[in-house]
Each structure stands twice: as C-alpha cells, then as structure tokens.
Amino acid sequence: MAPSISSPIPGMPDGKPAGVPCIQLDNEGRCRIFGKPERPAVCSSLQPSTEMCGTGKAEALLYLSQLDRLTTP
C-alpha cells in the first residue's frame, strides 16, 4: 500500500499512487498475482529485509513510505 508503482498493474493501467491499496490485494493483504507474469517487475524485484519489515506492519509501512518519498522524481 505504501509505495507508488508507476508501471501498469492489472486493474490499474496507470499504476498505483502511494498510500492507495493495490487492486490486486486480497482481504488479508496478499497479492493475487504473486508469481504470475502480469505482476509488475518492481514488485517481483522488491526483496524484503529485516530493515524494511521492522517489527510489524506499522514499521514496514513507515519504511516503505520513506523509501517512496526518497525515490520520487
């Protein structure tokens, strides 16, 4: 939810703005297109780390939000 995605996603042809849930997330927050070819490369290339995930969802969202701000052109 936190980062923006500039490439098209099925159901979101213009990508996804930061802070907006991806249309491909299910009710538990899991990606419906995980492992499928239509999944954006940016999602597939994102490698979780202890630093990124923190101790829970709140810390992970904060980290990803900061990363998104730092990498926005």
Side-chain angles (χ1 to χ4, degrees):
M1 178 169 150
S4 60
I5 299 172
S6 57
S7 54
I9 300 167
M12 299 180 101
D14 297 322
K16 184 194 86 58
V20 173
C22 179
I23 197 166
Q24 294 299 331
L25 292 178
D26 66 16
N27 291 336
E28 279 112 40
R30 294 180 296 208
C31 179
R32 291 184 183 103
I33 56 174
F34 185 85
K36 296 183 179 178
E38 59 269 27
R39 186 172 183 221
V42 68
C43 298
S44 299
S45 67
L46 186 64
Q47 297 297 309
S49 65
T50 303
E51 180 183 21
M52 179 190 304
C53 297
T55 60
K57 185 177 180 177
E59 284 185 25
L61 288 174
L62 178 63
Y63 179 91
L64 290 169
S65 294
Q66 290 171 339
L67 182 63
D68 192 66
R69 277 193 303 280
L70 292 171
T71 59
T72 298

